[in-house]
Amino acid sequence: MKIKNFGLLAVVAFCFTILSCSNPSTPSEETYTVWTDVSTYSAFQSDFNTTLNDGMYVRLELTTSQWDQISSSLTSEGRHSWTKSQIKDWLLGRGFGDSESTKESAWFATIDHGFLASRTGNTVYYILK
């Protein structure tokens, strides 16, 4: 009888161990597929036929049809699977202040597809989701 109880206890303990491994108590942070790139300001002006003042940025939420047109030309170059905090860190390293990077990374997390370009001197940084 003691052997049966011990065997049953061992099976129950084993099941709890398996369940605790497959069901983490803290869910992992959601990741987003984004693409990053960099260009010169003159290339930005030529590509977008517009201006962007130094130290400024522009963002645009893309429609499904706009995304369909753009996504077919995307490659794995510059592609990342990032969390909201990684997007924020990327923005911080590209001239954004803490409050701006928090706001824009939160915006990126809420939209399906969007684009942000920021200019620092002669350099324009891009992030696309």
Side-chain angles (χ1 to χ4, degrees), residues 99-129:
S99 64
E100 287 176 318
S101 61
T102 299
K103 179 179 117 181
E104 297 307 331
S105 60
W107 174 74
F108 255 82
T110 62
I111 61 169
D112 289 330
H113 304 292
F115 169 82
L116 189 142
S118 68
R119 178 181 174 198
T120 304
N122 193 41
T123 304
V124 178
Y125 300 100
Y126 305 94
I127 186 165
L128 173 73
K129 175 185 173 211

Side-chain angles (χ1 to χ4, degrees), residues 35-47:
W35 286 261
T36 58
D37 201 2
V38 62
S39 76
T40 64
Y41 177 60
S42 58
F44 172 86
Q45 285 179 301
S46 175
D47 292 343

Side-chain angles (χ1 to χ4, degrees), residues 9-41:
L9 183 61
V11 169
V12 169
F14 178 75
C15 289
F16 278 121
T17 302
I18 296 298
L19 289 174
S20 67
C21 290
S22 65
N23 188 10
S25 60
T26 56
S28 60
E29 192 175 353
E30 187 173 355
T31 59
Y32 308 94
T33 302
V34 298
W35 286 261
T36 58
D37 201 2
V38 62
S39 76
T40 64
Y41 177 60

Side-chain angles (χ1 to χ4, degrees), residues 61-122:
E61 186 168 357
L62 302 172
T63 65
T64 302
S65 62
Q66 289 169 323
W67 175 250
D68 290 343
Q69 291 175 347
I70 293 169
S71 64
S72 62
S73 65
L74 294 174
T75 66
S76 61
E77 185 176 344
R79 182 181 176 165
H80 311 279
S81 182
W82 283 349
T83 62
K84 185 167 55 170
S85 61
Q86 288 173 303
I87 294 170
K88 178 183 176 182
D89 289 345
W90 185 88
L91 293 169
L92 282 170
R94 271 82 194 156
F96 284 79
D98 189 57
S99 64
E100 287 176 318
S101 61
T102 299
K103 179 179 117 181
E104 297 307 331
S105 60
W107 174 74
F108 255 82
T110 62
I111 61 169
D112 289 330
H113 304 292
F115 169 82
L116 189 142
S118 68
R119 178 181 174 198
T120 304
N122 193 41

